[in-house]
Amino acid sequence: MSKVCLVIIFNHKYNKNIPLLQKIYGDKFQNVYYIVPFYCETVEGVKKENIIQVYETSYCFQGYIAQAYEKIRRDCYSHYIFIADDQILNPKLNEGNIIREMGLSLNESYIKEIIPYDEIRKGSLVDKSNKLYNIISAFSVNVGVSFISEIPSYNDAVKKCESFGLRVPIKLPLSFFLNSGYISFKHLPLTLVTLGVNKGRKLRYPLFKAYSDMIIINADSMSEFCRLSGVFAAMNIFVETAIPLAMVLACENIKQEKDLNNYKGIEYWNEDIHNFEIKYNYDLKKLFSDFGTDILYYHPVKLSRWKGMR
């Protein structure tokens, strides 16, 4: 049996959700940790040391993980599973079967997908990020952060990316700006400033993007993954670029959703969220009883609006 821990990340301090999440996962995972910004209270039924205070912007929540690592680190864990607080795992998954069900070996980590930063994919979850300035400019102007000696050189990073079969983006094409809304009336001024600071459209480091609300990091990769995540948080790199980049640089092997035989995650946005909630009448018990066998998780499930576990 693989010994894993479940780490639930809160972007913001939603105190009332901790007891609900403990009811959902407490019987399935012996070790559940809650990473909560600015948290300073206690919760009945949850060990005080399992609720971990962090101090970081939610736009860089990879920094949450870096800050929490020493408090969740245990030699017995083979993998660390990170999910968002508004994400519900398939109820049949538990600490004894999740790694096996997903087909991960001891030296494999997991993220939904890794997309070269210059690509625009129809229906992608991360193509319309408004954090272009923070991502691109981090490698050009970063006052107060001496990062160059803390991350692999450009050439070493490229070699690591290529070992995963990933294409390394060299320059942002004009189509990237046209299809991402960066030259709209709202974003054009900041886009021009970004390109000016960057001295053009060439990327100064291998960059990717990925939906990052569920990741699994194998134990041997955790230390370096957390160190790099902390560096990228200090550089103010948006999380959906920082996490896939830290994983590529730190992990030995990475599986993506396309590599899984049995599972896929379901994400809803805009009106689809409302339709999903209405379908189950905001009742978690109904959702759990109707959870598709091939569904890894649903996201988002805003627990403040749902009943059935109170």
Side-chain angles (χ1 to χ4, degrees):
M1 178 189 298
S2 294
K3 190 70 177 291
V4 304
C5 69
L6 179 66
V7 185
I8 301 176
I9 298 176
F10 287 65
N11 275 339
H12 306 285
K13 189 171 66 173
Y14 295 123
N15 300 1
K16 293 182 180 179
N17 284 357
I18 296 177
L20 298 176
L21 289 164
Q22 188 65 23
K23 287 182 180 179
I24 293 171
Y25 295 114
D27 291 336
K28 301 177 185 296
F29 294 86
Q30 182 179 349
N31 298 291
V32 183
Y33 299 96
Y34 303 90
I35 301 179
V36 188
F38 318 129
Y39 200 86
C40 57
E41 302 173 28
T42 59
V43 174
E44 185 177 354
V46 180
K47 295 178 181 178
K48 184 177 180 180
E49 59 268 26
N50 283 32
I51 304 177
I52 301 167
Q53 294 175 326
V54 291
Y55 302 91
E56 181 62 76
T57 169
S58 62
Y59 292 151
C60 296
F61 71 69
Q62 72 274 13
Y64 293 7
I65 300 173
Q67 292 179 43
Y69 177 48
E70 290 302 324
K71 295 183 179 179
I72 65 176
R73 182 179 183 176
R74 301 289 185 276
D75 290 340
C76 60
Y77 298 150
S78 69
H79 295 81
Y80 296 77
I81 302 167
F82 297 92
I83 64 171
D85 68 297
D86 59 350
Q87 189 170 32
I88 298 297
L89 292 178
N90 192 312
K92 75 177 181 180
L93 298 176
N94 56 57
E95 75 169 24
N97 67 16
I98 185 169
I99 300 303
R100 182 181 70 251
E101 286 282 323
M102 293 182 66
L104 301 182
S105 66
L106 285 176
N107 68 346
E108 286 182 319
S109 299
Y110 169 81
I111 190 170
K112 185 179 181 76
E113 59 183 349
I114 301 175
I115 304 172
Y117 192 75
D118 62 345
E119 283 190 18
I120 300 295
R121 295 186 184 179
K122 185 177 180 180
S124 172
L125 303 172
V126 293
D127 270 339
K128 297 204 173 181
S129 161
N130 62 354
K131 301 298 182 292
L132 178 70
Y133 180 84
N134 305 73
I135 294 168
I136 304 303
S137 301
F139 296 91
S140 303
V141 177
N142 217 298
V143 178
V145 182
S146 300
F147 65 87
I148 293 177
S149 62
E150 301 300 332
I151 63 177
S153 69
Y154 180 89
N155 289 336
D156 287 344
V158 168
K159 289 178 182 178
K160 188 67 188 296
C161 296
E162 291 175 344
S163 73
F164 286 109
L166 294 169
R167 181 181 62 81
V168 176
I170 304 299
K171 181 172 70 173
L172 295 177
L174 291 175
S175 59
F176 173 88
F177 297 94
L178 290 170
N179 295 325
S180 299
Y182 285 119
I183 59 173
S184 65
F185 178 79
K186 179 180 179 181
H187 295 296
L188 180 58
L190 187 55
T191 299
L192 293 175
V193 170
T194 300
L195 293 176
V197 169
N198 193 57
K199 298 180 180 179
R201 293 181 284 124
K202 184 177 180 179
L203 296 176
R204 296 169 179 261
Y205 205 76
L207 296 178
F208 304 93
K209 51 192 174 182
Y211 169 83
S212 301
D213 278 8
M214 180 182 182
I215 60 171
I216 300 176
I217 308 296
N218 72 296
D220 288 344
S221 302
M222 264 294 286
S223 179
E224 181 64 2
F225 168 76
C226 289
R227 192 189 70 80
L228 290 170
S229 291
V231 172
F232 294 148
M235 293 171 68
N236 199 31
I237 297 178
F238 186 51
V239 63
E240 289 181 341
T241 287
I243 280 184
L245 180 55
M247 289 184 67
V248 167
L249 297 178
C251 297
E252 183 178 350
N253 294 288
I254 301 173
K255 274 193 173 179
Q256 302 178 50
E257 186 176 88
K258 63 183 178 61
D259 303 315
L260 304 182
N261 294 324
N262 303 323
Y263 290 99
K264 61 181 179 180
I266 300 296
E267 300 85 17
Y268 290 120
W269 307 104
N270 304 318
E271 185 63 24
D272 289 338
I273 297 175
H274 178 68
N275 295 336
F276 170 67
E277 293 171 335
I278 293 299
K279 176 181 178 180
Y280 293 104
N281 194 28
Y282 298 89
D283 191 325
L284 287 171
K285 290 183 178 178
K286 290 183 178 180
L287 173 62
F288 291 154
S289 66
D290 192 44
F291 225 97
T293 57
D294 64 341
I295 303 301
L296 181 59
Y297 59 77
Y298 285 108
H299 178 259
V301 179
K302 301 295 185 182
L303 292 176
S304 60
R305 298 202 292 259
W306 289 67
K307 57 189 177 182
M309 296 297 293
R310 301 182 187 277

